[in-house]
Amino acid sequence: AALHRAERVRKVERALSGVRAGQRVELDLPVDVPGHHGGSLAAPLPARFRASVLDFEGGGGGTKKKPSNPCAVFLVPQGREHEWLFSDREGQVELLAGCGVERLVVVSLLRGQAYGGMEDIQAELNGYVSRLAPSSLPDGFRIPYLTIKEGL
């Protein structure tokens, strides 16, 4: 089992390092995030979130303007993770365009888990999200967390 987890983490590391414009990488947090075991593959943390990482895809001939913000996290309200906008690649690409960022990390809260408020969720995710952010992120950039009006 530890070998399987190690291979899965290596695959995620390769996928994240090679994310190209228009691609999507899906992973479970914290299970698939490199380094979440504190250097050990023993006693992994259970999955609490499902994340999709998407990068902006510019249009041919410069028809789509590059977003001014490098990265954001979009938290999907519990119970809505199955909706097209949040679960389907095309829906998530539309969400990415609406958020106006180069990279969007769409995070769903897994069912059967207890979560606190928005601040608690952000505190839990911050370490993982920093590993999913683009390497070109400006020093000191604080990744914003977004959600829809009715909240989590």
Side-chain angles (χ1 to χ4, degrees), residues 1-150:
L3 187 58
H4 176 69
R5 283 191 304 275
E7 181 59 27
R8 185 171 171 153
V9 167
R10 280 192 295 276
K11 284 181 182 177
V12 170
E13 285 176 322
R14 283 192 303 270
L16 287 173
S17 68
V19 172
R20 303 278 187 263
Q23 287 185 320
R24 174 175 79 157
V25 175
E26 294 182 307
L27 55 153
D28 291 329
L29 303 178
V31 177
D32 292 333
V33 176
H36 87 276
H37 301 290
S40 168
L41 290 175
L45 299 171
R48 293 204 13 98
F49 305 94
R50 177 136 310 121
S52 295
V53 180
L54 298 99
D55 276 1
F56 172 78
E57 180 178 25
T63 56
K64 290 184 183 177
K65 184 181 173 193
K66 184 177 178 180
S68 58
N69 294 317
C71 185
V73 175
F74 188 94
L75 295 173
V76 177
Q78 275 187 299
R80 296 194 56 188
E81 64 279 351
H82 65 281
E83 294 179 19
W84 175 81
L85 187 64
F86 307 124
S87 65
D88 187 81
R89 182 191 182 285
E90 287 77 23
Q92 290 178 345
V93 167
E94 192 170 300
L95 186 63
L96 169 67
C99 290
V101 295
E102 291 180 50
R103 176 170 288 177
L104 185 65
V105 181
V106 180
V107 177
S108 297
L109 311 178
L110 296 180
R111 293 176 186 254
Q113 299 277 338
Y115 299 96
M118 181 74 140
E119 289 180 4
D120 297 323
I121 293 168
Q122 286 181 13
E124 186 174 351
L125 285 172
N126 277 337
Y128 309 126
V129 167
S130 66
R131 293 184 184 109
L132 303 177
S135 58
S136 60
L137 209 62
D139 287 341
F141 181 80
R142 193 169 166 178
I143 299 171
Y145 283 78
L146 313 169
T147 192
I148 55 177
K149 190 173 184 173
E150 60 255 17

